[in-house]
Structure formats: C-alpha cells, structure tokens
C-alpha cells in the first residue's frame, strides 16, 4: 500500500512540475498564433475600420480609423511575438483583452454566438484563455519568469 501511495505522490509531483509551464505555454502559443494571423491580415489588407467606426464602444469610436487600424495591427503582431517568448505577458494579455472586447462589441456581438455567422464565440474563447495569463502570469517557460527570478535574487 505504501508503494502505491509513494507512486501516486511521485506522479502528482511530476504533474505539478509540468503544470508550472506547459498550460501557460500552450495558451500563449495558441493565442499568439491567432493574433499573429489577424495582425498579418490587417498588415497586408485594406483598412475596413472606417466602415464600422461608429460601432466601436466609447472612447474607441472617437479615435480615427487609421489610428485604430495601426494600433490594432501592431498590437496583434508585437503582442503575438511577446506571447511566444513570454515577455510582458500580463501587459500583452491585458492589451489583447481590450482589443478582443472592442472586436466583440463592434463586430461580433450582433451576429449571435455561432462562429460560422461571425458571432462572438471566438472572442469569448480568447477572453477566457487570456484570463489565466493575466491573473497567474506566463508560467515558468518564459522570459518573464527568468527576469522575475533574476530580480528576486538582487
């Protein structure tokens, strides 16, 4: 019986080690891919924000469409790179949450829940996936973790 308990404790310890970096890394990589794709699409495409500027929530509806397009594009591109390496993760999670909520409100909210109808399901999923990164940080497989360890020792 004690062998089984020892083995279970060993498994739990191994899962705790893996849990310190793998879930956050997976979230960061998935979200980085999604937002990188969106940023590249904006970077290489036509600015359509002018068509929906009036639908943006306050105060974003008062920002010129060109500035919103620029900020959105570069937030998605730079934020994606930073999520991959785990640098400024909480800042980029908060920034991309704001971007996500604006997109949800202005583009997806009126289309229902279904992804096929350009509904709000994906923005909701992204929002839920960003919350652990915002609240608990990037995990151990990140530059943020390395920097925190360096500054904690200083």
């Amino acid at each position: 019986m004690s062998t089984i308990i020892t083995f279970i404790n060993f498994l739990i310890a191994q899962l705790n080690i893996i849990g310190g970096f793998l879930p956050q890394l997976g979230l960061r990589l998935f979200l980085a891919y999604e937002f990188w794709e969106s940023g590249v699409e904006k970077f290489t495409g036509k600015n359509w924000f002018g068509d929906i500027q009036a639908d943006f929530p306050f105060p974003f509806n008062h920002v010129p469409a060109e500035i919103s397009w620029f900020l959105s594009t570069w937030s998605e591109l730079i934020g994606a790179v930073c999520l991959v390496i785990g640098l400024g993760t909480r800042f980029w999670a908060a920034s991309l949450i704001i971007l996500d909520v604006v997109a949800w409100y202005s583009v997806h909210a009126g289309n229902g829940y279904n992804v096929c109808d350009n509904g709000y399901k994906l923005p909701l999923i992204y929002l839920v996936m960003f919350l652990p990164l915002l609240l608990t940080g990037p995990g151990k497989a990140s530059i943020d973790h390395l920097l925190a360890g360096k500054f904690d020792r200083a």
Side-chain angles (χ1 to χ4, degrees), residues 44-130:
T44 59
K46 175 185 158 295
N47 182 348
W48 46 267
F49 277 13
D51 300 337
I52 61 167
Q53 188 71 22
D55 296 332
F56 286 4
F58 178 83
F60 302 103
N61 60 343
H62 294 292
V63 177
E66 297 77 27
I67 293 173
S68 292
W69 186 263
F70 177 85
L71 291 173
S72 174
T73 301
W74 287 103
S75 292
E76 289 174 340
L77 293 173
I78 295 169
V81 170
C82 288
L83 285 176
V84 167
I85 62 176
L87 179 63
T89 305
R90 284 186 162 130
F91 169 80
W92 288 109
S95 299
L96 294 171
I97 284 171
I98 292 168
L99 187 69
D100 185 56
V101 169
V102 171
W104 180 344
Y105 182 87
S106 58
V107 177
H108 304 283
N111 299 328
Y113 179 73
N114 194 330
V115 173
C116 297
D117 297 326
N118 199 26
Y120 63 86
K121 184 176 185 176
L122 275 179
L124 175 61
I125 291 170
Y126 297 154
L127 176 65
V128 170
M129 292 176 75
F130 271 124

